[in-house]
Amino acid sequence: MFGIGLLFVGAPFLPGAAGNMDFLKFASFLWLFALFAASVGAYFLKYRVTIEGGRVSVGSYFKREFSISDIVEVRRIDGSRSAQLEISLRNGRNVTISGLVADFDSLASLITGHGGR
């Protein structure tokens, strides 16, 4: 994603790339795409699921935290591309964890083993 962002940052400087458009308008349009690509890349790099001391933390920019003892139900949903965990908490909130995280199977078995206790 960061490479794509760099491509969009450098594209306005290619000869004739802007065509009949004003350089600043053309460059700012592409730089918005670069900013978006960098934001998505940073989100994927920062996304974490951690379990420490009976607390689970899920997220990238805005983390959701809950206690393992607050888990009421855990469902593993196997999709066509990846699986996901849907966790229902005692307070009514639902948290979804993507199956694309590293060691998803061990994470799923750990959380499923504590669900509903």
Side-chain angles (χ1 to χ4, degrees), residues 3-21:
I4 292 171
L6 286 176
L7 176 71
F8 279 112
V9 167
F13 298 105
L14 294 173
N20 294 336
M21 270 181 105

Side-chain angles (χ1 to χ4, degrees), residues 46-52 55-60 63-64 66 85 87 95-104 107-108 110-111:
K46 286 182 57 78
Y47 188 85
R48 301 273 189 269
V49 178
T50 57
I51 301 175
E52 292 180 24
R55 303 243 353 126
V56 180
S57 174
V58 179
S60 179
K63 294 188 187 235
R64 292 159 300 204
F66 56 92
L85 279 181
I87 303 169
V95 178
T96 302
I97 300 175
S98 171
L100 298 177
V101 297
D103 290 335
F104 175 77
L107 173 71
L110 179 68
I111 291 179

Side-chain angles (χ1 to χ4, degrees), residues 2 5 15 21-22 25 32 38 45 53 56 58-59 63 65 67-69 75 78 83 94-95 98 103:
F2 292 112
M21 270 181 105
D22 178 44
K25 188 183 291 186
L32 284 175
L45 284 176
V56 180
V58 179
K63 294 188 187 235
E65 291 190 13
S67 177
I68 289 180
S69 62
R75 291 186 305 145
D78 292 315
N94 292 319
V95 178
S98 171
D103 290 335

